[in-house]
Amino acid sequence: RKEVEQDPGPFNVPEGATVAFNCTYSNSASQSFFWYRQDCRKEPKLLMSVYSSGNEDGRFTAQLNRASQYISLLIRDSKLSDSATYLCVVTYNTDKLIFGTGTRLQVFP
Amino acid sequence: DVKVTQSSRYLVKRTGEKVFLECVQDMDHENMFWYRQDPGLGLRLIYFSYDVKMKEKGDIPEGYSVSREKKERFSLILESASTNQTSMYLCASSSRGEEKLFFGSGTQLSVL
């Protein structure tokens, strides 16, 4: 079983839709969780951290479920510019990160 | 803003060649990393370094070596390139104790 698993997609959604991705992790000792965004042929960039209490940044909401060992990313009112691959990242110690393979989102007009 | 610069955006090499991929960061970060990214496999850690002259193997170090003679520079070396090393190579850096990674724009290496 992979340490971090994501549905590769693609998720094809119309503008204005709400879409959610999940990411499961296998190590219960995981400490920190993040979502990165990667545009086509570009480098990954940090989108948001995921806190135990959940956190929201504009149209984006991230949540952590430690009991079921998954994190989620919810995007409301999708924009064309949200089209990208979303990478789930988990850490077991401060400096080493484990990346998921990413979920591809395509928002269409 | 942090800048992580990779020396080449695209590189084409022949099997058996020695290949150097250079990465420089300008934010005095202690930690530097080399990843490769392949379709369906995601980002896999090759080597990382927590300080000058220090290096640690990641998950897939075979066929690679690294050098960190200066804090700002982390080089990835393919001693004898093979076709299965055709990939996108991404360098990243972070501050000690910080988990946020800053990535370079990547080097797409093709080994023919």
Side-chain angles (χ1 to χ4, degrees):
Chain A
R1 183 186 172 186
K2 288 183 181 176
E3 290 181 279
V4 178
E5 291 201 73
Q6 296 183 251
D7 182 340
F11 285 60
N12 295 305
V13 302
E15 274 187 290
T18 294
V19 62
F21 315 130
N22 279 347
C23 165
T24 58
Y25 60 94
S26 59
N27 191 329
S28 59
S30 299
Q31 296 173 308
S32 303
F33 308 88
F34 307 89
W35 285 102
Y36 277 69
R37 171 193 168 127
Q38 185 173 24
D39 293 303
C40 189
R41 301 185 189 282
K42 300 276 190 173
E43 72 274 21
K45 292 184 180 178
L46 180 66
L47 178 65
M48 58 198 305
S49 303
V50 187
Y51 304 122
S52 297
S53 55
N55 51 306
E56 190 173 309
D57 183 3
R59 297 182 293 107
F60 297 82
T61 300
Q63 292 193 310
L64 167 64
N65 185 317
R66 283 196 183 271
S68 300
Q69 295 185 200
Y70 73 87
I71 66 171
S72 63
L73 178 67
L74 180 80
I75 306 175
R76 289 180 297 278
D77 188 24
S78 298
K79 312 290 185 192
L80 294 176
S81 57
D82 294 334
S83 298
T85 296
Y86 292 84
L87 305 173
C88 167
V89 182
V90 173
T91 69
Y92 300 117
N93 56 56
T94 300
D95 297 321
K96 188 175 176 186
L97 285 68
I98 309 295
F99 283 79
T101 53
T103 296
R104 188 168 154 230
L105 171 66
Q106 185 66 50
V107 182
F108 57 88
Chain B
D1 269 356
V2 175
K3 192 159 184 183
V4 180
T5 303
Q6 293 184 231
S7 53
S8 304
R9 186 73 179 93
Y10 298 95
L11 210 52
V12 179
K13 295 292 181 180
R14 295 203 176 275
T15 301
E17 279 193 79
K18 190 169 186 175
V19 181
F20 293 87
L21 301 183
E22 304 287 347
C23 175
V24 178
Q25 49 92 6
D26 65 0
M27 282 301 289
D28 203 35
H29 284 169
E30 290 81 12
N31 307 327
M32 296 189 76
F33 306 81
W34 274 107
Y35 289 87
R36 64 178 282 179
Q37 186 174 29
D38 301 286
L41 296 176
L43 275 83
R44 293 180 291 167
L45 183 63
I46 304 171
Y47 266 97
F48 58 105
S49 169
Y50 289 150
D51 206 342
V52 177
K53 297 196 185 293
M54 291 182 65
K55 59 184 178 184
E56 298 280 347
K57 291 181 180 179
D59 300 315
I60 51 163
E62 297 78 20
Y64 304 95
S65 62
V66 290
S67 172
R68 190 150 181 218
E69 295 297 316
K70 293 185 178 181
K71 190 175 185 179
E72 67 271 18
R73 186 181 296 269
F74 192 36
S75 303
L76 180 70
I77 303 150
L78 287 66
E79 294 289 341
S80 178
S82 62
T83 55
N84 63 13
Q85 292 178 310
T86 291
S87 185
M88 170 67 79
Y89 289 88
L90 288 158
C91 175
S93 71
S94 67
S95 293
R96 181 170 294 136
E98 291 290 326
E99 292 157 325
K100 180 178 179 180
L101 285 183
F102 295 87
F103 284 89
S105 54
T107 296
Q108 179 62 53
L109 173 66
S110 297
V111 182
L112 306 178

